[in-house]
């Protein structure tokens, strides 16, 4: 079955004209049935003139895009560099969290909160285990690959005394993040920066926490190594690196029907590499210590590590 799906994907006409639109329709209809207002949300953002003004204000002409980033992602031909991807990102993120607990009768917001709380709880526990009492609350957090700001807002809510920077290569995502954050509690502590995770331009030792939530599966191995090296450079000594993403070893991922897994991977150009790399060893190679991984929900793992104090 998986070979059949692979062959179908390789057939451009079949994939582009039939499979992709069908998969998209199913995704949107399922989301809307579960209370995620996919089309309504995208339409409202498209009609909001402020989004385009923020794009102009946030986009930095000097930011260049690595070749691996210019591929189609998530069935958008222009990947993360287009309005449709940005207008639909929040709904897609809500739908992703709902898929983690398919049997629980919970709302999209409840699923999202569960997923994010397990992430921020692990950061707090890691900092408590490996730092002084006075250091548990971070003062500065960088959320690399913040997209439309959902991970950024949860980090900010979990660590309310911290200033949090959401950094992303897509000015489309950042424009939506900035508009959605307007007037939200704590928004004065959040800022949105157009930049590259592997070359952030921040000074050495700037942040207490660097977070990469659901970013690494979008990157080839060499980019993941560069992201880790850069995170290590800009963290303060004792600072915390944290990432979360699909857990290749989780029973849910292991038991996914091969055809479904093939289909899932077909919209993620670099996920084959993600599923084979040793994230924990790569963090050690980047100079981190106290590297530890936990399965934080049925589908995902969270990995924390500390920058050595010298
Ligand atoms: C799946 S989204 C993650 C969303 C968000 N962190 C969350 O948890 O909801 C991945 C994001 O990473 C961004 N991204 C991918 N590679 C990047 C890089 N090298 N530097 C900065 N952002 C990157 C993409 O533009 C996209 O918005």
């Amino acid at each position: 079955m998986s070979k059949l799906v692979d062959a179908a994907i390789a057939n451009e006409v079949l994939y582009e004209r039939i499979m992709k639109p069908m998969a998209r329709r199913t995704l949107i209809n399922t989301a809307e049935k579960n209370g995620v207002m996919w089309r309504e949300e995208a339409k409202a953002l498209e009609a909001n003139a402020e989004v385009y003004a923020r794009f102009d204000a946030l986009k930095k002409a000097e930011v260049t895009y690595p070749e691996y980033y210019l591929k189609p992602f998530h069935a958008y031909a222009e990947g993360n560099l287009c309005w449709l991807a940005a207008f639909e990102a929040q709904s897609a993120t809500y739908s992703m969290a709902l898929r983690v607990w398919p049997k629980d009768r919970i709302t999209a917001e409840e699923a999202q909160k569960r997923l994010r709380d397990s992430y921020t709880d692990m950061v707090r526990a890691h900092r408590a285990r490996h730092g002084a009492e006075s250091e548990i609350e971070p003062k500065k957090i960088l959320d690399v690959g913040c997209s439309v700001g959902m991970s950024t807002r949860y980090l900010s809510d979990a660590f309310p005394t911290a200033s949090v920077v959401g950094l992303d290569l897509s000015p489309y995502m950042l424009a939506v993040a900035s508009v959605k954050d307007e007037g939200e509690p704590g928004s004065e502590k959040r800022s949105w920066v157009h930049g590259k995770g592997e070359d952030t331009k921040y000074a050495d030792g700037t942040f207490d926490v660097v977070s990469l939530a659901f970013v690494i599966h979008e990157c080839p191995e060499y980019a993941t190594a560069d992201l880790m090296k850069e995170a290590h450079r800009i963290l303060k000594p004792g600072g915390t690196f944290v990432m979360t993403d699909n857990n290749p070893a989780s029973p849910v991922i292991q038991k996914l029907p091969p055809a479904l897994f093939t289909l899932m991977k077909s919209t993620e150009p670099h996920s084959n590499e993600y599923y084979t790399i040793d994230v924990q060893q790569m963090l050690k190679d980047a100079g981190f210590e106290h590297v530890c991984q936990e399965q934080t929900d049925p589908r995902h793992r969270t990995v924390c590590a500390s920058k050595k104090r010298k």
Side-chain angles (χ1 to χ4, degrees):
M1 186 65 178
S2 147
K3 279 197 185 122
L4 208 70
V5 174
D6 246 345
I9 290 169
N11 180 325
E12 215 182 308
V13 177
L14 187 61
Y15 183 58
E16 291 295 329
R17 301 243 179 99
I18 299 170
M19 287 173 75
K20 237 161 74 171
M22 248 172 70
R24 185 173 156 76
R25 257 198 314 277
T26 308
L27 186 72
I28 296 174
N29 290 340
T30 309
E32 291 185 345
K33 231 189 288 159
N34 289 321
V36 178
M37 305 317 284
W38 190 296
R39 280 171 275 214
E40 197 178 301
E41 157 94 1
K43 235 173 148 181
L45 283 167
E46 188 182 15
N48 186 342
E50 190 55 28
V51 172
Y52 308 100
R54 299 288 168 99
F55 176 90
D56 292 338
L58 286 160
K59 187 176 188 305
K60 290 186 182 159
E62 66 273 22
V63 172
T64 55
Y65 301 105
E67 176 269 331
Y68 71 82
Y69 188 75
L70 298 171
K71 307 255 181 222
F73 279 95
H74 312 143
Y76 301 109
E78 292 151 305
N80 290 308
L81 292 172
C82 66
W83 283 119
L84 191 60
F87 294 158
E88 296 185 337
Q90 178 167 302
S91 299
T93 308
Y94 274 128
S95 306
M96 175 275 282
L98 275 170
R99 283 194 294 276
V100 176
W101 294 279
K103 294 196 181 120
D104 293 10
R105 290 167 169 266
I106 51 173
T107 64
E109 285 78 15
E110 284 164 342
Q112 193 62 220
K113 183 161 163 39
R114 265 194 203 176
L115 181 122
R116 303 299 178 169
D117 282 354
S118 64
Y119 185 65
T120 52
D121 285 354
M122 187 159 162
V123 177
R124 187 178 298 283
H126 189 87
R127 291 180 67 75
R129 200 172 309 127
H130 300 294
E133 181 73 29
S134 62
E135 291 175 339
I136 296 174
E137 291 300 318
K139 294 185 187 70
K140 287 195 83 165
I141 301 175
L142 179 67
D143 186 24
V144 174
C146 66
S147 177
V148 292
M150 293 177 83
S151 46
T152 322
R153 278 197 302 279
Y154 277 96
L155 280 163
S156 179
D157 288 349
F159 300 106
T161 54
S163 65
V164 189
V165 179
L167 177 136
D168 205 284
L169 260 173
S170 169
Y172 301 87
M173 300 289 180
L174 290 168
V176 171
S178 163
V179 163
K180 291 189 87 62
D181 204 28
E182 184 80 42
E184 288 295 316
S187 62
E188 69 285 354
K189 285 185 263 114
R190 296 183 284 273
S191 52
W192 310 101
V193 173
H194 187 206
K196 201 161 19 191
E198 48 275 70
D199 182 18
T200 60
K201 313 290 183 205
Y202 286 104
D204 293 2
T206 302
F207 293 98
D208 301 286
V209 172
V210 173
S211 160
L212 285 111
F214 303 106
V215 177
I216 283 176
H217 75 275
E218 291 191 7
C219 300
E221 182 173 357
Y222 72 86
T224 299
D226 290 345
L227 285 163
M228 289 173 175
K229 265 187 238 146
E230 177 69 352
H232 187 267
R233 185 186 70 74
I234 60 178
L235 275 168
K236 293 176 189 166
T240 312
F241 172 96
V242 59
M243 57 109 0
T244 192
D245 223 309
N246 278 337
N247 183 4
S250 80
V252 176
I253 300 280
Q254 288 284 327
K255 284 188 207 144
L256 273 181
L260 196 65
F261 191 61
T262 307
L263 206 58
M264 198 172 99
K265 285 197 307 183
S266 73
T267 65
E268 301 280 4
H270 309 298
S271 70
N272 263 345
E273 289 189 49
Y274 170 73
Y275 284 107
T276 54
I277 57 174
D278 182 343
V279 168
Q280 296 183 73
Q281 186 56 49
M282 286 177 76
L283 283 167
K284 288 177 194 157
D285 294 344
F288 287 99
E289 64 177 359
H290 308 316
V291 179
C292 57
Q293 170 174 313
E294 272 179 34
Q295 180 159 329
T296 34
D297 68 50
R299 273 183 108 109
H300 302 116
R301 48 127 172 234
T302 296
V303 185
C304 278
S306 310
K307 178 167 172 172
K308 290 179 188 156
R309 290 172 195 272
K310 298 249 154 63

